[in-house]
Amino acid sequence: MSDTDGKKTLGLGGQGGQVKQSFSHGRTKSVVVEKKRKRVVVPKAAGQPGAGAGKPSGTPKSDPSRRPAGISEAEMERRLKALAAAKARETEEAAARLAEERAREEERQRRRDEAEAREREEREREEALRAKEEEGARAKAEAEERKARKAAPAPAPEPSAPAAPEAPLSERARPAGGDARKPAKRDDERGGRPAKPREDGGRRSGKLTLNDALTGGGGRQRSMAAMKRKQEKARQKAMGQAQSREKVVREVQLPETIVVQELANRMAERAADVVKSLMKMGVMATMNQSIDADTAELVIEEFGHKMVRVSDADVEQVIEQVADNPDDLQSRPPIITIMGHVDHGKTSLLDAIRKTNVVSGEAGGITQHIGAYQVTTESGAVLSFLDTPGHAAFTSMRARGANVTDVVVLVVAADDSVMPQTIEAINHARAAKVPMIVAINKCDRPAADPNKVRTQLLQHEVVVEAMSGDVQDVEVSAVTGAGLDELLEAIALQAEILELKANPDRSAMGAVIEAQLDVGRGPVATVLVQNGTLRQGDIFVVGEQWGKVRALQNDQGARVKEAGPSVPVEVLGLNGTPEAGDVLNVVETEAQAREIAEYRQQAAKDKRAAAGAATTLEQLMAKAKEDKDVAELPVLVKADVQGSAEAIVQALEKIGNEEVRVRVLHYGVGAITDSDVGLAEASGAPIIGFNVRANATARGSAQQKGVEIRYYSIIYDLIDDIKAAASGLLSAEVRENFIGYAEIREVFKVTGVGKVAGCLVTEGIARRSAGVRLLRDNVVIHEGTLKTLKRFKDEVKEVQSGQECGMAFENYDDIRPKDVIEIFEREEIERNLT
């Protein structure tokens, strides 16, 4: 059925008919079922609105007169029931859709109401802020006006118009007329003088309090321009408009190569945008990859910035030393280096000063590491000591100690003499141009002779004070402690003369004394701060490595927050193990530190490549021939600290001669790893571990691959073993011992043998196993071995002098009478490297 009142009509098809249902304001009307042009009126269910009274409820009975032909009553009943069920289901679905539509409409209305409420609250807040600003300005203007009135002289009152008494402040604050809701009349309306225009434009809102009137407002508030900008930004964001902002043009420093992320940071652009720009140019690079300067220049121009080209060496300009202001300099503790020959008591002397026992922990009783300590004397003076090894292999360690020191204490044993390492220490001190104090140790021993030491020092131009010189000398004993106070006084006197000062308020600069790879802490460097103050969290670059100070430990193992000048500390937080002797500099940013470290790594790599490259064809051929003629012993070295590894490598490189040499394939610090075993297997080299051990994985790999691992704790044992192994590569020396001569008297031809020489042994003895030379007119024409040696018809091993014999040469028949046969034996003698 149709609905002409704009009602919704729903159609339902089923069982060859059509069900139409119309709704009007949520009420269900009658349902008409059309089937084969016959109409069946289905009454509404009981209880529904609009149902007629007296109509039967439930499913109607079928009318036989209106039932189509060929359909039974049961079938008609089934169809009517299905139709009623479909109608009920359609009614429920329509009601659910209507409820859902109403819920959506209510949700939209609720959101609109919330948005309007938020806008209304925002407007009210802005109006309140604006009113508060206006009220503050008005109160301030009124306060200034009252001050001006009080300052001006009061005019004489006219007789006809007596002056009215001034109302109280509360009355003046209230509008005239006593009603707070009525606005007060203006002065020009009352007939008085015209009202003075207010600075705030006459707008006034909010409540004026006594505090606001006296102080001139409630503090600093946001300006109207800021509020308008905020509203405009919110409006543009709501409308989806792009917010335009002014482009900031930056000057971008561009080195030869730069990482994409770093380029984006310098331009203050998103890294994704820079990568997208590179892709448009055809360059597929991620943000962690490097690009060349030309490509980076195109990217900078595309983003509208300015490019400033810098060379690679310019990156180190950030760590250039700046002269300190003399007013900023403060006194610092002196740095004293203990130097001398091995086993002259350097570490024992330092232990006596520090009241410790470091020497007991050293393998073999000798110092093999450079140590840094700080000592506070009984007088309160702070001294920084460096203990250097005395073995000949640790020359570079002693050189580093002399370069960073202020005073050198030369330790010489009183029962010994001036040794080679003593002379070397004297030369290091002179090269560093630092003063020297001679400590004559072991004076408690019966064989001690200090004057002998003083006399021997004269040979090396070291004149002590006892011999009218300028070098202080002190007789001490590390065992009894005698002379230690005099030694400390001599050091303090020398430091006072030097007037050592440094600026602790600048970026730190120091020298790496020692470096190692700790299993639990990672790369650790022992740094002696020379200037400035090193603090936790500082970003630094040291040699080819960089890092951020994660922790600082003093010589006692305690954590400290900072280290000033002349303070030795262990620094944690490096990205790699630096070389001993590298200089540590603090920089501002992590990017600067990384850039400087990368530049230094590349420079060192280029330097090593240039040093090992042959520049001409002649050099290349000479090098190839040299490598072919020289036997090499390849080794891998792993040590506990960087200084020991460096000393071992330098000592091993000195082993060898023109026939054999030791080649160090790789050296480093830390435990022996599986990668070291793999390299050793590929090159057929043994692994040398100095005070380190292989981990479990490396041990298993070494056993499986047959790689030899040797452990050492004393450096001279290591050097002796490598020298013996290299000696095995030397070719044995061959010596010839002449044992006899024989003269050929006649030559016979023997079937199956060839020519046989009938000889007479004229001197010595002839042996079958010996070598022979054939001499003709004292000229050697053949050298070889004997094929046969016969006496009569018997084969013999040897023939004595004066006897006749028959000899036949191996593969040689050109023999003649009167030729002389020289008989000799070769002896191989093993050679050793000295």
Side-chain angles (χ1 to χ4, degrees), residues 365-590:
I366 64 171
T367 300
Q368 300 178 117
H369 307 85
I370 188 168
Y373 313 98
Q374 199 164 41
V375 177
T376 302
T377 62
E378 296 180 356
S379 61
V382 179
L383 307 176
S384 296
F385 283 95
L386 296 181
D387 184 18
T388 60
H391 193 272
F394 296 98
T395 301
S396 57
M397 284 191 181
R398 287 190 291 276
R400 282 196 299 272
N403 289 334
V404 300
T405 190
D406 300 319
V407 179
V408 169
V409 175
L410 182 64
V411 179
V412 186
D415 59 345
D416 203 347
S417 58
V418 176
M419 303 299 288
Q421 275 65 59
T422 309
I423 301 172
E424 183 185 295
I426 294 172
N427 295 331
H428 284 318
R430 286 177 177 168
K433 298 180 180 180
V434 293
M436 184 166 46
I437 299 174
V438 177
I440 304 176
N441 194 18
K442 301 183 180 181
C443 291
D444 58 310
R445 294 193 175 183
D449 189 0
N451 291 326
K452 177 184 176 183
V453 173
R454 297 186 180 99
T455 305
Q456 290 181 346
L457 288 174
L458 291 175
Q459 301 176 6
H460 306 285
E461 300 179 359
V462 177
V463 184
V464 297
E465 290 182 345
M467 295 188 173
S468 303
D470 55 353
V471 178
Q472 300 184 72
D473 63 312
V474 182
E475 297 181 5
V476 296
S477 173
V479 177
T480 62
L484 294 182
D485 294 337
E486 289 81 358
L487 178 61
L488 294 177
E489 288 179 4
I491 294 173
L493 176 61
Q494 189 65 58
E496 186 177 354
I497 295 174
L498 294 175
E499 295 182 354
L500 303 172
K501 292 185 178 181
N503 181 11
D505 299 327
R506 57 168 295 169
S507 299
M509 189 270 291
V512 177
I513 302 301
E514 195 62 272
Q516 60 180 336
L517 184 62
D518 194 281
V519 177
R521 300 182 298 171
V524 180
T526 302
V527 177
L528 180 64
V529 181
Q530 295 174 301
N531 205 355
T533 302
L534 184 63
R535 296 178 175 85
Q536 187 173 346
D538 285 348
I539 299 171
F540 62 89
V541 58
V542 48
E544 301 176 17
Q545 312 297 334
W546 66 277
K548 184 177 182 180
V549 179
R550 192 171 74 242
L552 296 173
Q553 290 185 350
N554 59 12
D555 59 325
Q556 303 295 332
R559 288 285 185 97
V560 293
K561 295 294 183 182
E562 60 182 25
S566 302
V567 177
V569 287
E570 283 189 344
V571 180
L572 282 71
L574 293 96
N575 70 326
T577 307
E579 297 287 338
D582 288 341
V583 179
L584 181 143
N585 295 99
V586 174
V587 295
E588 294 181 358
T589 63
E590 184 176 320

